[in-house]
Amino acid sequence: MGRKSLYLLIGGILIAYYIYTPLSDNIEEPWRLMWINAQQKTIENLATFVELLGLHHIMDSLKVVWSFYEVPPTSDENVTVTETKFNNILVRVYVPKRKSEVLRRGLFYIHGGGWCMGSAAINDYDLLSRWTADRLDAVVISTNYRLAPKYHFPIQFEDVYNALSWFLRKTVLAKYGVNPERIGISGDSAGGNLAAAVTQQLLDDPDVKIKLKIQALIYPALQPLDVDLPSYQENSDFLILSKSLMVRFWSEYFTTDRSLEKAMLSRQHVPVESSHLFKFVNWSSLLPERFIKGHVYNNPNYGSSELAKKYPGFLDVRAAPLLADDKKLHSLPLTYVITCQYDPLRDDGLMYVTRLRNAGVQVTHNHVEDGFHGAFSILELKISHRLINQYIEWLKENL
């Protein structure tokens, strides 16, 4: 074997080692998923290195990368796509071109990205909104919101709430031909968090007369109090979303002060005076038995009150919808929840399903045994199309 061939062989082995990650046998298209993950891991590593050099915040670097995947608001043969502002918040509006004899359904969609990245213009979100508008014969509003680290909670929540409230005005619904009795909200990941939070907030707003018929939450992040759930432990280093990255997202939602992230990882961020909140996120009583799998629930380690006083958002129900009491949950609309087996956020969704059902809310729970975080929105994967088809079929039947 020549020296050149040897170098190529060694290089190939090193590349394969970097890309390869052991996966469960039930994961579809494992090598494609590993390749996507390797690209993401490379970008994250470079962004981390740039941050260590003091040149750029990691989330700002990742935001720049995501911006390369944005596409303009271009109409096609089936859907008219425009951009406008709802209460000064930039949104994309997707309206089917075919004529309708009746008022259409309306769906308000909130993108994910850890409250730090993404937009309605990202190619995969744009395609999702087009498909949903066309197949559901619905007007889809895909909203933007200001992002961390420049903006922190409650800005993201307020932006989404203000855009949604604007959409729910009778004059706006009439303009787009939307039936006020057939409006739903949906979002994935951080967008699922925001969807759940604003849906709860709407219940107490006397100024918003039109209410939501359904909420559809796709692997939502619902609480930052306990980031040592069984799903966080089992999937701490899984592809696409690791435990450390999710905790960084949570921390950045509230502050650029890394001391909060450090305290969250050591489970010392909740003060003892807020100990009563853990009853809402106690996985030992809220998870179905098969997801506990011998895990032992440990009582939390309480921290000082300093972090909670400086950054009270992580104890705020608007940031952590799982902290809502049963009386609030009881009034929520028909709900659809997607959870994925290989996702740190799996147990957030599972606990919400349990609490909603206990409160009397009708819930359709789609647990994806071969799913992982991002499975819904990475459209180059087959699993994404399967989940989107199930999601749209549920919306057809219930919205």
Side-chain angles (χ1 to χ4, degrees), residues 3 43 94 107 129 141 146 195 207 209 223 257 302 335:
R3 182 175 296 179
I43 293 168
Y94 298 80
L107 184 69
S129 295
I141 308 297
R146 286 172 288 178
D207 295 328
K209 306 300 182 184
Q223 59 83 32
D257 181 356
Y302 299 111
T335 300

Side-chain angles (χ1 to χ4, degrees), residues 226-290:
D226 189 349
V227 291
D228 200 39
L229 305 171
S231 59
Y232 272 98
Q233 296 178 43
E234 294 168 15
N235 303 296
S236 61
D237 295 310
F238 200 78
L239 309 186
I240 309 300
L241 182 68
S242 64
K243 173 179 177 176
S244 59
L245 181 58
M246 188 62 227
V247 172
R248 182 70 187 271
F249 280 142
W250 269 121
S251 179
E252 292 292 338
Y253 189 23
F254 307 114
T255 176
T256 53
D257 181 356
R258 299 290 297 276
S259 65
L260 177 58
E261 175 191 3
K262 183 179 179 181
M264 289 178 70
L265 287 169
S266 61
R267 302 182 70 206
Q268 293 181 323
H269 57 300
V270 180
V272 66
E273 55 265 33
S274 299
S275 61
H276 63 284
L277 296 176
F278 278 100
K279 67 183 178 182
F280 297 126
V281 297
N282 186 331
W283 57 263
S284 66
S285 61
L286 293 172
L287 288 182
E289 182 62 33
R290 75 184 186 96

Side-chain angles (χ1 to χ4, degrees), residues 196-373:
V198 298
T199 302
Q200 291 182 7
Q201 185 78 2
L202 273 180
L203 298 176
D204 299 324
D205 192 338
D207 295 328
V208 180
K209 306 300 182 184
I210 296 171
K211 304 302 180 181
L212 299 172
K213 184 177 181 182
I214 63 98
Q215 61 174 342
L217 311 177
I218 298 122
Y219 36 72
L222 296 170
Q223 59 83 32
L225 274 71
D226 189 349
V227 291
D228 200 39
L229 305 171
S231 59
Y232 272 98
Q233 296 178 43
E234 294 168 15
N235 303 296
S236 61
D237 295 310
F238 200 78
L239 309 186
I240 309 300
L241 182 68
S242 64
K243 173 179 177 176
S244 59
L245 181 58
M246 188 62 227
V247 172
R248 182 70 187 271
F249 280 142
W250 269 121
S251 179
E252 292 292 338
Y253 189 23
F254 307 114
T255 176
T256 53
D257 181 356
R258 299 290 297 276
S259 65
L260 177 58
E261 175 191 3
K262 183 179 179 181
M264 289 178 70
L265 287 169
S266 61
R267 302 182 70 206
Q268 293 181 323
H269 57 300
V270 180
V272 66
E273 55 265 33
S274 299
S275 61
H276 63 284
L277 296 176
F278 278 100
K279 67 183 178 182
F280 297 126
V281 297
N282 186 331
W283 57 263
S284 66
S285 61
L286 293 172
L287 288 182
E289 182 62 33
R290 75 184 186 96
F291 294 101
I292 295 176
K293 300 179 195 170
H295 289 274
V296 177
Y297 182 80
N298 295 314
N299 291 323
N301 303 315
Y302 299 111
S304 71
S305 302
E306 183 180 352
L307 283 174
K309 289 178 180 177
K310 290 171 68 176
Y311 316 115
F314 70 84
L315 300 174
D316 193 315
V317 69
R318 296 174 298 167
L322 256 172
L323 300 184
D325 60 31
D326 290 345
K327 183 179 179 181
K328 172 66 69 66
L329 297 183
H330 176 73
S331 300
L332 289 172
L334 181 68
T335 300
Y336 181 76
V337 179
I338 291 178
T339 56
C340 292
Q341 182 65 22
Y342 306 108
D343 181 2
L345 296 179
R346 179 195 71 202
D347 293 349
D348 279 19
L350 290 173
M351 290 193 292
Y352 204 45
V353 168
T354 298
R355 292 204 56 215
L356 288 171
R357 285 175 172 167
N358 289 345
V361 178
Q362 186 177 343
V363 181
T364 298
H365 178 209
N366 180 8
H367 181 68
V368 188
E369 293 290 350
D370 60 342
F372 46 88
H373 199 83

Side-chain angles (χ1 to χ4, degrees), residues 66-243:
W66 275 50
S67 69
F68 287 107
Y69 296 94
E70 293 183 347
V71 294
T74 306
S75 301
D76 59 31
E77 66 273 15
N78 298 316
V79 179
T80 299
V81 184
T82 57
E83 279 188 343
T84 187
K85 288 188 175 181
F86 283 3
N87 211 1
N88 293 318
I89 307 302
L90 185 66
V91 302
R92 285 201 175 187
V93 182
Y94 298 80
V95 181
K97 285 187 173 179
R98 60 182 177 274
K99 292 184 179 181
S100 177
E101 300 299 326
V102 298
L103 294 174
R104 288 189 163 99
R105 303 174 176 98
L107 184 69
F108 188 91
Y109 194 87
I110 311 163
H111 70 80
W115 308 279
C116 298
M117 305 177 292
S119 76
I122 297 294
N123 182 57
D124 285 350
Y125 286 121
D126 179 72
L127 286 173
L128 172 63
S129 295
R130 290 172 188 272
W131 296 343
T132 305
D134 182 40
R135 292 176 54 187
L136 195 60
D137 194 23
V139 174
V140 175
I141 308 297
S142 184
T143 190
N144 289 294
Y145 48 91
R146 286 172 288 178
L147 301 169
K150 185 175 181 180
Y151 301 99
H152 299 292
F153 174 85
I155 295 298
Q156 291 86 340
F157 170 87
E158 290 173 347
D159 283 356
V160 171
Y161 193 78
N162 289 336
L164 175 62
S165 300
W166 186 269
F167 177 54
L168 293 177
R169 291 184 174 192
K170 289 184 179 181
T171 54
V172 177
L173 296 177
K175 175 182 176 181
Y176 292 107
V178 174
N179 185 337
E181 296 181 357
R182 303 183 74 183
I183 301 171
I185 190 169
S186 186
D188 65 294
S189 193
N193 166 280
L194 292 165
V198 298
T199 302
Q200 291 182 7
Q201 185 78 2
L202 273 180
L203 298 176
D204 299 324
D205 192 338
D207 295 328
V208 180
K209 306 300 182 184
I210 296 171
K211 304 302 180 181
L212 299 172
K213 184 177 181 182
I214 63 98
Q215 61 174 342
L217 311 177
I218 298 122
Y219 36 72
L222 296 170
Q223 59 83 32
L225 274 71
D226 189 349
V227 291
D228 200 39
L229 305 171
S231 59
Y232 272 98
Q233 296 178 43
E234 294 168 15
N235 303 296
S236 61
D237 295 310
F238 200 78
L239 309 186
I240 309 300
L241 182 68
S242 64
K243 173 179 177 176

